[in-house]
Amino acid sequence: MRKNKKLTATQSQIYNYIVANKEQVITITLRELAQILHVAPASVVRTLTALGYKHYYELQSQIREELSRNKVVDDITYQAQYYFSANFLPDYEEKIEQFKQFARETKDFIFFGIGTSGDLCDYGARQFVNNGRNAFAIGDPYYPIELSRDSYQNKTVIVLSVSGEGQPTIDQVKHFREQGAKIVSITNDEDNTIANLSDLNFSYHLEFKIIDRTINLTTQVPVVYLLERLSRALAG
């Protein structure tokens, strides 16, 4: 599906529901979709217009095509193909230039994440070190940031979070901000608490894959790609 980065909160809600329920969307009418979401049909129409669709059936047609392709390849390959073909990739270029500005004023890079995101923080920190910068990772959700005697004015914190809504991560981001650090976040969507607390956010807009309510299997291919892009930018 196409994605416009300038959706309203209601439009983002509609978009996220469609992405997570594609097989249902191709079987129901626009009015039925509006009823499920408790919004006016006009809200759905405006969302489709913002996404670049002229008609609801155009959206359904594209979803059928995507689902058909998904039957041919495994899910990870499909997600990766979709990500690298999406039209929001060019938007990264401007943000990477902003990141370079942060890097010029940064003495230390701190990577912060919990769980799988924490494992990727270790990878990201090593990539930054490989490119000649001082970097380390923190995976402790209760790390006493506020007790540090050193200023964070010259530090940039790179936060990894799929949902952007984990409360321990949110709390730590607030502590980093209070200590003067710049915040760069990588999240699945840009409409979340951590993204809104960030000075710069990179989002990748793929389907959430959650099992047993707590186990997040959302692909991390975009995160690895972004970490490597940012690490390479340090040499620029």
Side-chain angles (χ1 to χ4, degrees), residues 6-16 191:
K6 295 182 180 178
L7 297 181
T8 66
T10 298
Q11 290 171 343
S12 291
Q13 174 195 0
I14 295 170
Y15 169 81
N16 290 334
D191 185 22

Side-chain angles (χ1 to χ4, degrees), residues 2 4 12 16 26 45 53 72 92 101-102 118 123 128 138 176 199 203:
R2 309 163 192 168
N4 188 307
S12 291
N16 290 334
I26 61 175
V45 172
Y53 297 98
V72 178
Y92 288 164
Q101 292 291 331
F102 291 170
Y123 177 77
F128 274 47
I138 298 175
F176 279 122
D199 297 286
S203 51

Side-chain angles (χ1 to χ4, degrees), residues 119-136:
D119 295 333
L120 287 170
C121 282
D122 289 330
Y123 177 77
R126 179 55 186 266
Q127 289 296 311
F128 274 47
V129 171
N130 287 349
N131 281 277
R133 299 303 297 266
N134 189 34
F136 59 93

Side-chain angles (χ1 to χ4, degrees), residues 10 93 140:
T10 298
E93 299 303 323
D140 182 354

Side-chain angles (χ1 to χ4, degrees), residues 189-201:
D189 198 272
E190 75 275 3
D191 185 22
N192 58 71
T193 303
I194 290 174
N196 291 331
L197 287 170
S198 302
D199 297 286
L200 185 61
N201 171 259

Side-chain angles (χ1 to χ4, degrees), residues 24 81 90 132 159 229:
Q24 179 190 30
Q81 289 175 339
V159 183
R229 281 293 305 274

Side-chain angles (χ1 to χ4, degrees), residues 160-210:
L160 308 185
S161 173
V162 176
S163 69
E165 296 295 350
Q167 193 58 51
T169 304
I170 291 171
D171 291 341
Q172 293 291 56
V173 169
K174 289 180 178 178
H175 290 320
F176 279 122
R177 285 187 62 88
E178 289 168 359
Q179 296 297 320
K182 291 284 188 183
I183 307 296
V184 176
S185 61
I186 300 177
T187 59
N188 188 46
D189 198 272
E190 75 275 3
D191 185 22
N192 58 71
T193 303
I194 290 174
N196 291 331
L197 287 170
S198 302
D199 297 286
L200 185 61
N201 171 259
F202 292 86
S203 51
Y204 44 96
H205 307 292
L206 293 181
E207 293 184 48
F208 282 104
K209 299 286 184 181
I210 308 294

